[in-house]
């Protein structure tokens, strides 16, 4: 009960802020709203004496919503950024508007920052850094300072670094708001059946999991370190190095990046960088990370990318990362490649094989729906293709064929759209499909060609071999059991209680699939498969 009261109080406050920005009942959507909601609209517009004057309600619905979420604070800013990744829930146009939601807040005092740094790294600031600047950037969760390390054996003159510090008290504030989000999601899922397909509780859980990762800067540092290892030999892309000695749960120190922000196109052109190459590089780097490594930067917008003097893309801010497993990578690569090749029946088959579409649906009807979405793309200039309209149609197809929401794939699709936007900012005529094709083709040849099939078969044979190595032990136990049974036989047969006999029979039936003869047959088939592949 207490949780319900607290959640209602927090959500009522949020509704009032949204209402004052005309973002709770936007004019553009009122014709589609139920009358009961419209009846509540005046309550959301009332301003109490201590709440000050009305807010500016200019701009479209998405802009007003972004402004209201920013006013509500850190948890709502993150909620807005997360919803920008879910056009299946809020629609592609609103999702597109929320991608511009600014995660900027006033910095907290320098004295507080120094205290947090000292607590985090376990030593006075002056022992760790010879210089520590005022905040150069402040967001909802943390702020960043530029610093220079004290001289040591590795860096006799010190090293320029960026120091990221969590906001004080941020964990408690997020936990309170997230609890309200969970209460609302549970209430909706329990009482409104049409919303269950979107799995609101799972959506909030995904948001909460992401926020927890961002609240522990050691995890962000670990993500940077992992991606740095994955991309160490990749041309044209690199990741800053982590200073682990000066990193803790609330403080992260990393190499300072000297480069031009990816958002400053004029400066990049003036510096002589090849803008078409940068457009290809950002697309191909992202696809390599996703398809090859199954681990990708899921917030790869212009604000988190720099271009160094050598023309390398350098990524920062690894608070939001995406992972997809081997099966999802294979399906996604085949889907994308099938779309590029315009083989819609094969793309439909992949969806059914992956279990994305219920088996009760028609494969050919699904292929026809895919064709209706993809065909308008081909043969048109890249600058004329609207990714927003494309996503809108894709999610309409999702609803028509009862596809369940797959958060990891939604995140991948969202990041792909963001990365395409970066590529087109570099090169307005950039075509994502032309950049994607060689990466996807190479990945499929490597992972699905004859050599890969031989490796898979060999791995399967090794696993069978490990199982078969236990066969003598199994046979020995069987022999001992037979001997014991033989010793227990009298003139009337084996003396076993009827209940025990029934249990043994049931166990034998369950284990029938794992009998030695079956494993021998499987081993023989595995050997034949390898022989055929060779």
């Amino acid at each position: 009960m207490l949780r319900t009261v607290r959640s209602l109080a927090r959500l009522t406050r949020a509704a009032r802020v949204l209402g004052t920005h005309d973002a709770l009942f936007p004019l553009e959507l009122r014709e589609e709203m139920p009358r009961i909601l419209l009846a509540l609209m005046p309550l959301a517009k009332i301003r109490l004496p201590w709440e000050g004057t009305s807010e500016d309600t200019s701009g479209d619905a998405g802009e007003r919503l972004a402004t209201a979420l920013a006013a509500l604070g850190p948890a709502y800013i993150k909620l807005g950024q997360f919803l920008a990744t879910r056009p299946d829930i809020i629609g592609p146009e609103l999702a597109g508007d929320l991608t511009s939601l600014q995660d900027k807040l006033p910095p907290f005092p320098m004295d507080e920052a120094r205290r947090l740094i000292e607590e985090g790294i376990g030593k006075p600031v002056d022992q760790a850094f010879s210089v520590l600047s005022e905040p150069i950037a402040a967001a909802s969760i943390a702020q960043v300072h530029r610093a220079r390390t004290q001289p040591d054996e590795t860096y006799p003159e010190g090293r320029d670094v960026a120091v990221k510090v969590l906001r004080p008290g941020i964990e408690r504030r997020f936990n309170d708001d997230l609890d309200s989000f969970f209460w609302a999601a549970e209430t909706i899922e329990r009482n409104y059946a049409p919303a269950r397909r979107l799995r609101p509780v799972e959506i909030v859980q995904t948001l909460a999991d992401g926020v927890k990762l961002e609240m522990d800067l050691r995890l962000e540092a670990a993500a940077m370190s992992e991606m740095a290892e994955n991309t160490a030999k990749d041309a044209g892309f690199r990741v800053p190095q982590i200073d682990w000695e000066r990193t803790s749960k609330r403080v992260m120190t990393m190499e300072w990046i000297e480069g031009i922000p990816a958002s400053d196109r004029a400066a990049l052109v003036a510096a002589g960088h090849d803008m078409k190459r940068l457009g290809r590089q950002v697309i191909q780097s992202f696809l390599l990370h996703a398809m090859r490594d199954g681990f990708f930067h899921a917030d790869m917008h212009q604000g988190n990318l720099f271009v160094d003097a050598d023309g390398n893309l350098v990524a920062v801010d690894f608070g939001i990362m995406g992972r997809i497993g081997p099966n999802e990578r294979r399906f996604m690569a085949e889907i994308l490649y099938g779309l590029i090749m315009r083989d819609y029946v094969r793309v439909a088959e992949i969806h059914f094989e992956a279990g994305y579409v219920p088996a009760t649906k028609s494969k050919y009807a699904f292929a026809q729906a895919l064709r209706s979405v993809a065909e308008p793309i081909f043969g048109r200039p890249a600058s004329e293709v609207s990714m927003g309209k494309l996503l809108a149609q894709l999610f309409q197809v999702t609803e028509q064929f009862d596809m369940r929401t797959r958060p990891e794939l939604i995140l991948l699709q969202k990041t792909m759209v963001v990365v395409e936007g970066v590529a087109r900012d570099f090169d307005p005529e950039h075509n994502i499909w032309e950049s994607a094709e060689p990466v996807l083709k190479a990945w499929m040849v490597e992972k699905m060609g004859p050599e890969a099939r031989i490796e898979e078969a060999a791995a399967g044979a090794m696993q069978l071999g490990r199982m078969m190595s236990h066969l003598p032990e199994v046979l020995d136990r069987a022999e001992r059991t037979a001997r014991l049974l033989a010793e227990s036989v009298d003139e009337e047969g084996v003396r076993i209680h009827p209940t025990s006999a029934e249990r043994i029979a049931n166990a034998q039936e369950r284990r029938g699939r794992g009998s030695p003869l079956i494993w021998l047959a499987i081993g023989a088939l595995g050997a034949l498969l390898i022989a055929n592949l060779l």
Side-chain angles (χ1 to χ4, degrees):
M1 182 64 183
L2 184 59
R3 181 191 181 213
T4 298
V5 172
R6 287 175 176 171
S7 297
L8 280 172
R10 294 191 197 105
L11 294 172
T12 299
R13 171 185 169 271
R16 292 177 56 76
V17 173
L18 290 166
T20 59
H21 288 82
D22 195 20
L24 185 61
F25 303 101
L27 179 64
E28 297 88 338
L29 303 179
R30 284 176 195 169
E31 292 183 1
E32 304 173 16
M33 289 184 178
R35 291 182 180 179
I36 188 171
L37 288 181
L38 293 177
L40 297 173
M41 184 175 68
L43 297 177
K45 298 287 287 184
I46 296 174
R47 299 289 289 181
L48 298 177
W50 58 84
E51 293 181 316
T53 58
S54 297
E55 301 287 349
D56 179 19
T57 56
S58 60
D60 61 26
E63 292 172 346
R64 297 196 303 272
L65 178 58
T67 302
L69 292 175
L72 283 167
Y76 286 86
I77 290 173
K78 289 298 175 186
L79 175 63
Q81 292 174 333
F82 177 74
L83 288 175
T85 72
R86 300 303 304 270
D88 57 322
I89 299 173
I90 62 174
E93 290 189 12
L94 196 56
D97 289 334
L98 288 180
T99 58
S100 62
L101 179 62
Q102 295 297 306
D103 191 0
K104 295 181 180 179
L105 292 177
F108 53 89
M110 192 68 182
D111 290 345
E112 186 75 0
R114 292 178 68 91
R115 181 185 68 79
L116 292 170
I117 292 172
E118 289 182 355
E119 288 180 359
I121 64 177
K123 64 174 68 173
V125 169
D126 293 339
Q127 289 185 19
F129 306 105
S130 59
V131 177
L132 180 68
S133 77
E134 293 287 331
I136 59 172
S140 58
I141 288 181
Q143 68 186 30
V144 178
H145 303 255
R146 183 170 183 172
R148 189 169 185 82
T149 62
Q150 290 287 4
D152 56 27
E153 293 182 0
T154 307
Y155 299 99
E157 297 180 357
R159 184 189 193 193
D160 288 330
V161 293
V163 183
K164 186 173 183 178
V165 189
L166 284 186
R167 285 185 173 275
I170 194 67
E171 294 96 337
R172 180 176 178 180
R173 185 169 181 182
F174 262 98
N175 288 337
D176 288 345
D177 283 331
L178 285 171
D179 186 57
S180 300
F181 296 166
F182 272 115
W183 179 86
E186 290 162 6
T187 302
I188 292 169
E189 197 164 290
R190 184 170 55 250
N191 297 292
Y192 187 57
R196 289 171 191 160
R197 187 187 72 87
L198 297 173
R199 297 184 284 179
V201 173
E202 184 174 323
I203 288 168
V204 177
Q205 186 62 58
T206 303
L207 172 64
D209 291 342
V211 168
K212 285 179 183 178
L213 292 177
E214 292 191 72
M215 293 293 181
D216 189 339
L217 295 180
R218 295 170 300 185
L219 299 178
E220 181 177 347
M224 293 179 68
S225 177
E226 182 177 350
M227 181 161 278
E229 289 182 7
N230 291 344
T231 63
K233 297 181 180 179
D234 292 354
F237 183 92
R238 74 181 187 90
V239 176
Q241 295 179 344
I242 289 293
D243 184 339
W244 288 104
E245 182 183 348
R246 298 172 178 86
T247 293
S248 66
K249 181 177 181 179
R250 301 185 61 86
V251 179
M252 183 178 73
T253 304
M254 66 178 183
E255 169 193 2
W256 178 263
I257 298 301
E258 290 289 354
I260 300 172
S263 56
D264 194 345
R265 190 177 190 281
L268 291 169
V269 172
H273 290 292
D274 184 341
M275 304 306 290
K276 289 187 179 295
R277 185 193 66 79
L278 287 175
R280 289 192 303 273
Q281 185 67 56
V282 70
I283 294 292
Q284 293 181 351
S285 293
F286 163 70
L287 286 173
L288 267 177
H289 305 160
M291 297 297 139
R292 180 191 64 193
D293 308 322
F295 187 57
F296 59 93
H297 193 306
D299 198 20
M300 222 163 135
H301 57 74
Q302 286 97 327
N304 288 337
L305 289 171
F306 293 83
V307 180
D308 67 17
D310 297 325
N312 296 309
L313 285 172
V314 187
V316 297
D317 196 349
F318 287 71
I320 305 175
M321 303 298 294
R323 286 190 189 274
I324 52 175
N327 288 336
E328 287 76 17
R329 279 183 258 168
R330 181 169 69 83
F331 288 128
M332 185 58 70
E334 283 203 74
I335 288 167
L336 290 173
Y337 192 69
L339 287 173
I340 292 172
M341 296 292 102
R342 301 161 86 167
D343 188 350
Y344 303 113
V345 173
R346 178 56 189 150
V347 173
E349 289 174 348
I350 296 162
H351 278 79
F352 280 84
E353 290 170 9
Y356 297 162
V357 179
T360 55
K361 301 297 178 181
S362 166
K363 176 180 68 177
Y364 296 103
F366 187 65
Q368 184 178 348
L370 291 171
R371 179 182 289 273
S372 73
V373 172
E375 276 301 310
I377 294 175
F378 298 107
R380 296 177 58 188
S383 58
E384 295 181 9
V385 176
S386 169
M387 290 300 295
K389 290 181 180 178
L390 174 63
L391 280 177
Q393 293 181 49
L394 281 174
F395 288 115
Q396 286 173 7
V397 169
T398 296
E399 294 175 2
Q400 292 168 5
F401 288 85
D402 297 331
M403 288 172 60
R404 284 180 64 96
T405 300
R406 308 239 351 147
E408 73 280 11
L409 298 183
I410 293 284
L411 185 59
L412 183 75
Q413 291 171 345
K414 168 260 177 183
T415 309
M416 192 177 300
V417 173
V418 172
V419 169
E420 186 193 23
V422 177
R424 287 191 179 164
D425 192 54
F426 288 147
D427 174 18
E429 299 301 318
H430 181 80
N431 188 323
I432 185 175
W433 306 105
E434 291 180 359
S435 294
E437 181 179 357
V439 177
L440 295 171
K441 188 174 182 178
W443 187 89
M444 292 178 70
V445 167
E446 179 184 352
K447 296 297 182 182
M448 303 177 69
E451 292 184 5
R453 290 170 59 200
I454 291 173
E455 289 179 4
E456 288 181 5
M462 289 179 64
Q463 185 174 3
L464 285 173
R466 286 193 293 271
M467 293 178 179
M468 295 296 290
S469 67
H470 297 292
L471 182 58
E473 181 183 348
V474 172
L475 293 175
D476 183 57
R477 285 203 301 268
E479 183 182 353
R480 289 200 303 272
T481 302
R483 188 165 54 250
L484 288 171
L485 288 173
E487 293 171 356
S488 302
V489 173
D490 59 14
E491 294 179 356
E492 297 179 357
V494 181
R495 296 190 301 272
I496 299 178
H497 191 278
T499 303
S500 299
E502 182 179 354
R503 288 177 179 174
I504 290 172
N506 290 337
Q508 284 296 103
E509 183 178 354
R510 287 196 302 271
R511 294 172 185 167
R513 295 180 183 177
S515 66
L517 288 177
I518 294 295
W519 286 119
L520 285 171
I522 293 173
L525 288 173
L528 285 173
L529 175 61
I530 295 174
N532 288 331
L533 289 171
L534 294 172

